[in-house]
Amino acid sequence: MPTPIKNLECFVFDMDGTINLGNTLIPGALELIEELRTRDIKFFFFTNNSSKSPAEYVKKLEKLGFSGMTLSHIMTSGDVMIHYLKTHFPKPKVFLSGTPALEEQFRQAGITLLTPNAPAADAVVIGFDTSFCFEKANAACRLIAAGAPFLATNIDRVCPLEGGAFLPDCGSICAMLEHATGIAPKFTGKPFRETVDFILAAAKTAPEKTAIVGDRLYTDIATAVHGKITGIAVLSGEISQADIDASDIRPDYTFPSVAELLQELKR
């Protein structure tokens, strides 16, 4: 039996599709966070979207109406990748295909970023890169073919926006590079073990007393399943009840949105 909602000690929220759609706040999100604060329950926001830095996500949450947000509340797939690189390479030198914000996050963490004409790299890292171009694709393919490990921040195929629109995400970029090179990437964001370990180390709570709340089976809920964490699916983003019914990846709880999760917490 899953841990009752009222007995959970930490909630880790996805953002896109769970807390917000683009620049639109999903109803109930503000009230849910305030309820957690009132009850002194830990909470974090974990986004697989590596296109923005943690500081930018603090600003985004503030713009959406949240108050009192700090960097300690934010986890990103970029953070997980940085931790992975620094664990596996003494002084990582990587070719990164990412936004300027992700590039700066890597530099601040002490990772050397190589230019597209670099002859070799410790690794090629692909993020959700809204500045992706042919020059980056060509450099990544050349370095991967030469033996550089092919790493990627997140497996998401698309980033959902308002009104059913979307942007091609890191997983779609990687599919093109894998098709070209014949080499599959190693992803470290949700739902992979590196993210499970990162979340539990930050939360300092038992897996069954920790909940991941999200709108995607193959990232959010799969992370919960892999880590024996309580999985809470919301139907406000990518997935539908029909998707859940047809999947082997099953959440412990399903709600239409975080508004109904709040109602259950108060019950």
Side-chain angles (χ1 to χ4, degrees), residues 77-140:
S77 61
D79 291 324
V80 179
M81 179 59 74
I82 287 169
H83 182 263
Y84 179 87
L85 289 169
K86 296 184 80 170
T87 300
H88 287 77
F89 302 99
K91 295 181 179 179
K93 296 180 180 179
V94 306
F95 175 71
L96 171 66
S97 178
T99 59
L102 186 62
E103 291 176 349
E104 182 59 24
Q105 188 180 348
F106 272 48
R107 289 192 186 97
Q108 288 182 358
I111 296 172
T112 299
L113 300 186
L114 304 172
T115 62
N117 61 0
D122 289 331
V124 170
V125 179
I126 308 298
F128 173 26
D129 188 2
T130 55
S131 59
F132 190 68
C133 63
F134 186 83
E135 182 184 29
K136 291 182 179 181
N138 185 46

Side-chain angles (χ1 to χ4, degrees), residues 24-25 30 61 81 91 117 132 151 187 195 201 207-208 224 227 239:
T24 303
L25 185 69
L30 283 178
L61 287 168
M81 179 59 74
K91 295 181 179 179
N117 61 0
F132 190 68
L151 308 177
F187 295 97
T195 287
E208 67 275 9
I239 58 171

Side-chain angles (χ1 to χ4, degrees), residues 22-120:
N23 294 316
T24 303
L25 185 69
I26 291 175
L30 283 178
E31 294 82 358
L32 175 56
I33 296 303
E34 285 309 308
E35 184 69 17
L36 295 178
R37 285 187 189 277
T38 298
R39 295 173 182 241
D40 199 27
I41 296 174
K42 295 179 183 179
F43 66 90
F44 299 93
F45 298 95
F46 189 115
T47 176
N48 249 10
N49 185 334
S50 60
S51 67
K52 295 180 175 63
S53 69
E56 287 179 298
Y57 280 112
V58 169
K59 291 179 181 177
K60 180 166 187 174
L61 287 168
E62 291 173 343
K63 189 175 293 186
L64 287 168
F66 293 93
S67 60
M69 294 295 110
T70 68
L71 291 176
S72 66
H73 291 113
I74 308 296
M75 304 175 184
T76 76
S77 61
D79 291 324
V80 179
M81 179 59 74
I82 287 169
H83 182 263
Y84 179 87
L85 289 169
K86 296 184 80 170
T87 300
H88 287 77
F89 302 99
K91 295 181 179 179
K93 296 180 180 179
V94 306
F95 175 71
L96 171 66
S97 178
T99 59
L102 186 62
E103 291 176 349
E104 182 59 24
Q105 188 180 348
F106 272 48
R107 289 192 186 97
Q108 288 182 358
I111 296 172
T112 299
L113 300 186
L114 304 172
T115 62
N117 61 0

Side-chain angles (χ1 to χ4, degrees), residues 123-222:
V124 170
V125 179
I126 308 298
F128 173 26
D129 188 2
T130 55
S131 59
F132 190 68
C133 63
F134 186 83
E135 182 184 29
K136 291 182 179 181
N138 185 46
C141 286
R142 177 176 55 80
L143 291 166
I144 292 167
F150 180 10
L151 308 177
T153 59
N154 59 297
I155 201 170
D156 304 65
R157 295 183 292 268
V158 299
C159 176
L161 302 173
E162 300 96 329
F166 63 87
L167 296 173
D169 207 323
C170 180
S172 294
I173 295 172
C174 288
M176 182 189 74
L177 301 178
E178 180 178 351
H179 187 72
T181 62
I183 298 171
K186 174 180 176 56
F187 295 97
T188 60
K190 295 183 289 190
F192 299 98
R193 186 73 227 179
E194 291 80 6
T195 287
V196 171
D197 293 342
F198 192 88
I199 286 173
L200 292 177
K204 294 181 174 60
T205 49
E208 67 275 9
K209 293 295 184 73
T210 308
I212 292 179
V213 185
D215 70 308
R216 295 182 178 187
L217 290 175
Y218 69 94
T219 56
D220 305 311
I221 306 308

